[in-house]
Amino acid sequence: MDGIEARIRESFAKQTMMATFGAEVVSVAPGEVVLRAPIMDLAKQQMGFAHAALSFALGDTAAGYAALTTLPEGQEVVTAEIKINLLSPATGDWLVATGRVVKPGKRLAVVSAVVEAVTGDSRKDVALLQGSMMPI
Amino acid sequence: MDGIEARIRESFAKQTMMATFGAEVVSVAPGEVVLRAPIMDLAKQQMGFAHAALSFALGDTAAGYAALTTLPEGQEVVTAEIKINLLSPATGDWLVATGRVVKPGKRLAVVSAVVEAVTGDSRKDVALLQGSMMPI
Amino acid sequence: MDGIEARIRESFAKQTMMATFGAEVVSVAPGEVVLRAPIMDLAKQQMGFAHAALSFALGDTAAGYAALTTLPEGQEVVTAEIKINLLSPATGDWLVATGRVVKPGKRLAVVSAVVEAVTGDSRKDVALLQGSMMPI
Amino acid sequence: MDGIEARIRESFAKQTMMATFGAEVVSVAPGEVVLRAPIMDLAKQQMGFAHAALSFALGDTAAGYAALTTLPEGQEVVTAEIKINLLSPATGDWLVATGRVVKPGKRLAVVSAVVEAVTGDSRKDVALLQGSMMPI
């Protein structure tokens, strides 16, 4: 596990929101971070689907850490803004979020994320995010 | 408590995500719904602020129910898309989200929400959301 | 005409896109700038309404100059990102865009804009924008 | 030229905004439409770059027609909402916008677009858009 992956796993471990959702880091590569979380009973909306905020939490966090892979050690990022389009009802066993850097930047990094719902061997896209992360 | 407020409180009670965050309905009026939640230890990001997903969850849900106040009984709404701009670190005792209908619609309702952090008597805006809710 | 209004009118005059659309500065106040343009035949979409890009151009530019009113002399702003929700078909004599600063900032200013279509004495909202301007 | 390409070229020809910008249809394929326009003197902002509204106009229109390729004959689409992140100053000879369908839909199609600036043989991304098109 290299330096950047260690930094991200350490930061991730401090995010109590991620623990609340049972989320874990799947992989870290330059410009791309994958997270996943089970769809648990505690994170649903009124019709029994995963709440949009769960897709948001995973997509936003994956995209933020993707931006962090492009920054020098000692920096953090915060979300400046991010937009989510919901594509299908979030049902299944897991949500998997893949965050990517579209354009790195010292003042602002543009990022995107795709969130998929996984049920056994089948996957479907449930959300697409596009946003800006601010290094601090 | 009139019909629409009862419908919203009933629907809200089914959202396990809202219970997870300790959220409650503050008020329901035509075109405007206010929610609040304490900033709890379980909903933080790596620097100890409330996670953007908490502001998102409250703002998105308040905006969705604001749209629902403009629709006939028996309808639900789902978020088609929503964007959040983060304005300040979300620190304090409570987050209060006020969702409003900008433009009602049978196919799509345009909505906005403001999320404020409250500490004792002081309030600050922490997030602004703008999105589209789809009646189903 | 004070300093900030003069700066904005001078900058506006350099925007050939604004001249192409026949746009003019209606008013400049701290944190709020109003622009307008006639709905001309050269700026339409396939159904004869004003193109979304005309509402975008006016809303984005009004919001950018609103941000500029909060910055020291000698600075410019560029749009980092902005989102537009279209509310009604843009038909009428004029479009009027009111840009406002939601949250000033040295690194990023959060802004919004409303675009209205005006026909004689009647007005209707046609677009709502929310975005981030970056001082440079 | 098959039916869908003919429909799109016919609709495009009615968009006076596209003629104002000297835009043309480069290619039409199922779920993907490419447009381009020269960066002309009439479409600039105050620093001499192409105005964000030019990138927006091309990206939004390309994305709208991409959505149209997935719909039955006789339908039109209008933009419900779209967000643009600006990636670099839009300088060069041409802007080329590639619109794609992310998720087709009868009520709402989710779309994206990339806008590139082309100077001789070199290309750079200048804008990324994500939005929703509404069939009517």
Side-chain angles (χ1 to χ4, degrees), chain C:
Chain C
M1 193 167 69
D2 69 2
I4 182 62
E5 180 166 350
R7 273 164 59 204
I8 285 172
R9 287 185 180 275
E10 187 181 354
S11 172
F12 186 87
K14 290 182 194 152
Q15 297 214 33
T16 57
M17 182 69 102
M18 292 295 105
T20 297
F21 291 143
E24 57 192 320
V25 177
V26 175
S27 65
V28 173
E32 185 181 297
V33 170
V34 182
L35 305 178
R36 71 171 192 173
I39 298 181
M40 294 197 291
D41 279 345
L42 59 75
K44 298 204 167 155
Q45 40 84 289
Q46 74 280 8
M47 289 176 281
F49 308 142
H51 199 284
L54 180 62
S55 294
F56 178 90
L58 294 171
D60 171 61
T61 305
Y65 284 127
L68 197 61
T69 67
T70 65
L71 293 173
E73 203 168 338
Q75 291 218 268
E76 288 280 358
V77 299
V78 292
T79 305
E81 58 81 28
I82 194 159
K83 182 209 185 198
I84 186 167
N85 282 75
L86 284 313
L87 306 176
S88 329
T91 54
D93 300 327
W94 293 88
L95 291 185
V96 177
T98 303
R100 292 191 182 94
V101 177
V102 172
K103 168 88 184 178
K106 284 178 200 165
R107 297 189 59 188
L108 217 54
V110 179
V111 293
S112 67
V114 176
V115 183
E116 295 164 282
V118 179
T119 309
D121 288 343
S122 82
R123 302 170 80 99
K124 65 173 174 179
D125 289 348
V126 296
L128 183 68
L129 296 92
Q130 179 175 314
S132 310
M133 296 288 159
M134 186 184 284
I136 55 173

Side-chain angles (χ1 to χ4, degrees), chain B residues 9-28:
Chain B
R9 288 185 180 275
E10 188 181 353
S11 171
F12 186 88
K14 291 183 194 153
Q15 297 214 34
T16 57
M17 183 70 102
M18 292 295 105
T20 298
F21 291 144
E24 56 192 321
V25 177
V26 175
S27 65
V28 173

